[in-house]
Structure formats: structure tokens, C-alpha cells
Amino acid sequence: MTFFFNKKAKLFLTVLAAAVVLLLAALAGISKGRSVSQAKIIAGNAQNLAKGLDYFYNDQNRFPTAVEFQDQNLMLNYFNGFPPANISSAACAETFAYKRPSPQTYQLNFCLPADFAPYHRGWNAITKNYESGIRN
């Protein structure tokens, strides 16, 4: 069975196909832009959290315990806004995780929905160890 289309039908189908391809490309670009924007916000929040944890250390000579880190009333002394927004994505359901292996050490894990230099998509970590002076 052979299908024949007149010139107007062929032109309409060609324009329709081109419009669908452009729409899909635009939607993919919007999605990518949203992911990069979210990654930029999360990475900035992680850096601000690291600074606030340093302020806590300067005051207390130790980093907060995990329970203290969850205490909004206590942590608002070191941050303008706390807790940071949880921006879930396909990469991670949670945005931040805080661990304190010792009073002089912490690890702040954060998840990015897209690469944002110097960090990569997925889980990243900022660590500080005043016992050895190492910061990653």
C-alpha cells in the first residue's frame, strides 16, 4: 500500500515535525538549566554551611554534634537562614548530610543534580579536620 500526500500535506507534516523537535530541544534545555541552577544554589549553601561551622568551632572549640546541627535555634546563631532548603532531584532525595566523627572533625555531604565546578553530579563532601588542619 502506497501513501501519497499533496504538497500542502507534506509541508504541514514537515513543519509539524520541525516544531516537535524544537519543542523537545527547548524542554531539554530548560530542564538542564534548572538542574544547573539548583546545583549552583546547593554548592553555595554548602560553602556557607562550611563557613558557619567554622564560626561554631571558633566559639566552641569544637564542631557541633549531629543533634546540635539539627537544632535550628542553636544554628541560627551562625547562619542567616537555617536549615538550608532541601532541593530533591533525580540524583538524590536529600540535599545535605552532616557527620561529626570527632569534636575537631566534620564532614558535610551534599548532593548536586548537575555538575557545577569543582563539584560533580551526585554526592560531594566538604571536610574539615582541625586535628591535622586538613580541609577538602
Side-chain angles (χ1 to χ4, degrees):
M1 178 181 251
T2 306
F3 292 100
F4 294 98
F5 296 104
N6 63 28
K7 288 183 181 183
K8 285 185 179 180
K10 285 182 184 179
L11 178 61
F12 175 75
L13 290 174
T14 301
V15 170
L16 182 62
V20 168
V21 168
L22 288 174
L23 177 63
L24 291 174
L27 290 175
I30 290 169
S31 177
K32 175 71 173 169
R34 178 181 295 159
S35 293
V36 170
S37 174
Q38 289 174 340
K40 181 178 180 181
I41 291 168
I42 294 167
N45 286 348
Q47 292 297 323
N48 288 334
L49 285 171
K51 287 178 188 173
L53 291 168
D54 285 341
Y55 296 142
F56 186 99
Y57 187 91
N58 290 337
D59 283 351
Q60 306 285 333
N61 203 31
R62 65 179 178 82
F63 291 111
T65 64
V67 172
E68 289 173 325
F69 186 77
Q70 297 299 323
D71 184 350
Q72 182 177 3
N73 293 325
L74 174 63
M75 298 313 288
L76 279 173
N77 293 317
Y78 303 97
F79 302 101
N80 288 332
F82 193 87
N86 184 42
I87 303 173
S88 60
S89 66
C92 301
E94 295 293 321
T95 307
F96 294 99
Y98 172 78
K99 298 176 189 172
R100 187 190 84 161
S102 76
Q104 276 61 47
T105 305
Y106 77 81
Q107 181 175 341
L108 178 66
N109 298 310
F110 58 99
C111 186
L112 299 180
D115 291 342
F116 186 76
Y119 307 112
H120 57 83
R121 181 180 187 268
W123 284 102
N124 296 269
I126 296 175
T127 58
K128 185 122 188 201
N129 183 344
Y130 273 118
E131 293 168 349
S132 66
I134 297 172
R135 182 169 184 176
N136 296 333

